[in-house]
Amino acid sequence: MYLTYLRRELSGRTKQTAIVAAGLAIAIALVIIVNALTAGVRDAQTQALESVYGVGTDLTVAGAQQEPGEDGGSRFDFGEDGGATAEDGTTTLAQSQLRTDRGRTTLDAATVGTISALDGVSSATGALSLTNSTFSGELPEMPADGGTNAAGEAGSAPADDAPQGGGGFGGGSFDVDSFTVLGIDPAVQTVGPLSSVSVTDGRALDADDAGQNVAVLDATYATSNDLAVGGTVDVGGTAMEIVGLVSSSSSSTDTASNVYIPLDVAQSLAGVGDVVSTVYVQATTADGIAAVQSEIESAVPDATVSSQSDLASTVSGSLSSATSLITNLGTWLSILVLAVAVVLAVLFTMSGVSRRTREFGTLKAIGWSNGRVIRQVAGESMVQGLIGGAIGLAIGLGGILAINIIAPTISAAPAATEAGAGGGPGGGRFASTVQTATDITLSAPLTPWVLVAAVGLAVSAGLVAGAFGGWRAARLSPAEALRSVA
């Protein structure tokens, strides 16, 4: 009897049912999609951090921030013997240099031991981050107008029909190539950048490689530069034997550096002494990370100590923008739409009760109790909520599927290496700028509890609307109701 009457009343009010269900469906679908995107951005951020800092790395310790221009910039200094001059006056220049990252000071290598001895520290290792820049090119002889050529010698005036201009430095051509180099302790691979990579060819660095001119390359970088195991790569003017290729554990991100070499070799080639750029720290327990961070800050007051959550907040690029947009705008928009849908359901239900004055008055006159009237109105509203929830669930799942098929790409730039401005050859200087960025594919993972919560919200919205409508229907007096339509 109850279900029969419920079905008849819903089928007789299809317009109200459709409007209420549509409003709830849009709200539920938006909640599902926003939560899936939020989870996807969070996963993408984790991938970006893992590719740079390594799985198992809880804390990183870096040198203090430097003022702009304090380190003088990245410069090439060719001097008088910086190139070879041919008979036609063309000077060929070639030079490679290794330089530590701009913007931060280095740390004494003894800092690794200091941190390892602290309570709550499971393991720690140091790394030296460098940028290898190679300048190469041919510069023509300069005209004899009071100037000098690329080799610093007086030139002769060009013929009237000689070609003028060209690609920089009086018509010469040159190229600046840069790649990142990371000096690591080959004996420690359980923490730090190499803990999040897998060997795809050859082997990884091991303890026996200390002091040896060997290198492990990122597989993507090796492929794009036609490098392979058994060959060599020039690092700071030294040929390093390639013993292995590695790739990130995540298929959507690259590794932390293009080239990995033993830490002592990196220090020697860069001429920086016994220093490191970063110390990677693994805490004994996850609960003790905050305490370990405080201990490190006290033991190394001049350094910058960051946890994974701190590092996540510094990831830049469109990844950070997407996180902010979805977390703030998306969440509040979902709440707003859901609130509007609930209010809409309540208003339509109460309006429907007002139009059914004669019906409820008659039912109460023939013996329906207030509780039965309330159950009738609440049941109708709950069914409308379930219909809206089912439609919203379908739309939400369709939106998640569309996002995963499209697989939009966002960028993350967790680190940047800068350089200063340049000058010219023949005792002059030149500089380059290098900035690393990682493209990450955004996905929208399906979270079961979100689906359950979405259906629960739809049912709850129906119950709220039914409670208000039922309360109004229960207040109707049978005599007054029948009198109003007499």
Side-chain angles (χ1 to χ4, degrees), residues 58-347:
D58 298 317
L59 298 163
T60 59
V61 184
Q65 191 78 29
Q66 283 184 322
E67 293 296 328
E70 191 173 300
D71 59 356
S74 177
R75 306 170 188 271
F76 290 92
D77 192 352
F78 296 103
E80 294 183 357
D81 299 324
T85 303
E87 294 182 358
D88 61 356
T90 300
T91 301
T92 301
L93 300 173
Q95 187 181 102
S96 294
Q97 67 168 211
L98 277 175
R99 184 173 178 81
T100 58
D101 291 341
R102 284 195 67 193
R104 285 197 180 276
T105 60
T106 54
L107 300 169
D108 191 288
T111 305
V112 178
T114 301
I115 294 174
S116 298
L118 297 175
D119 293 335
V121 175
S122 173
S123 61
T125 185
L128 181 60
S129 180
L130 303 168
T131 298
N132 186 96
S133 300
T134 301
F135 177 96
S136 60
E138 294 183 351
L139 306 181
E141 183 179 21
M142 299 292 286
D145 55 357
T148 59
N149 63 6
E153 303 170 346
S156 58
D160 293 338
D161 58 350
Q164 302 295 320
F169 298 113
S173 61
F174 61 90
D175 180 54
V176 178
D177 177 60
S178 297
F179 58 86
T180 55
V181 179
L182 195 62
I184 61 171
D185 184 349
V188 181
Q189 296 185 19
T190 58
V191 61
L194 281 187
S195 63
S196 61
V197 303
S198 57
V199 178
T200 59
D201 191 14
R203 63 175 179 84
L205 297 179
D206 55 39
D208 295 335
D209 290 323
Q212 302 300 312
N213 292 335
V214 294
V216 169
L217 272 58
D218 171 76
T220 303
Y221 175 78
T223 301
S224 61
N225 289 273
D226 295 325
L227 299 172
V229 173
T232 61
V233 59
D234 185 283
V235 178
T238 299
M240 311 291 289
E241 180 187 357
I242 303 172
V243 297
L245 303 180
V246 295
S247 63
S248 173
S249 300
S250 171
S251 59
S252 57
T253 58
D254 296 327
T255 64
S257 183
N258 300 133
V259 179
Y260 301 87
I261 62 177
L263 177 58
D264 54 352
V265 175
Q267 293 168 338
S268 175
L269 292 177
V272 294
D274 196 15
V275 299
V276 295
S277 300
T278 309
V279 180
Y280 301 92
V281 184
Q282 185 179 54
T284 304
T285 62
D287 296 338
I289 293 177
V292 172
Q293 184 171 3
S294 299
E295 287 186 39
I296 297 175
E297 289 172 345
S298 299
V300 194
D302 295 333
T304 300
V305 186
S306 303
S307 65
Q308 285 284 10
S309 58
D310 296 331
L311 297 172
S313 65
T314 64
V315 175
S316 61
S318 60
L319 176 59
S320 177
S321 301
T323 304
S324 177
L325 178 64
I326 294 174
T327 301
N328 297 321
L329 179 60
T331 301
W332 283 109
L333 183 60
S334 299
I335 294 173
L336 179 62
V337 173
L338 185 61
V340 170
V342 172
V343 171
L344 185 67
V346 171
L347 291 177

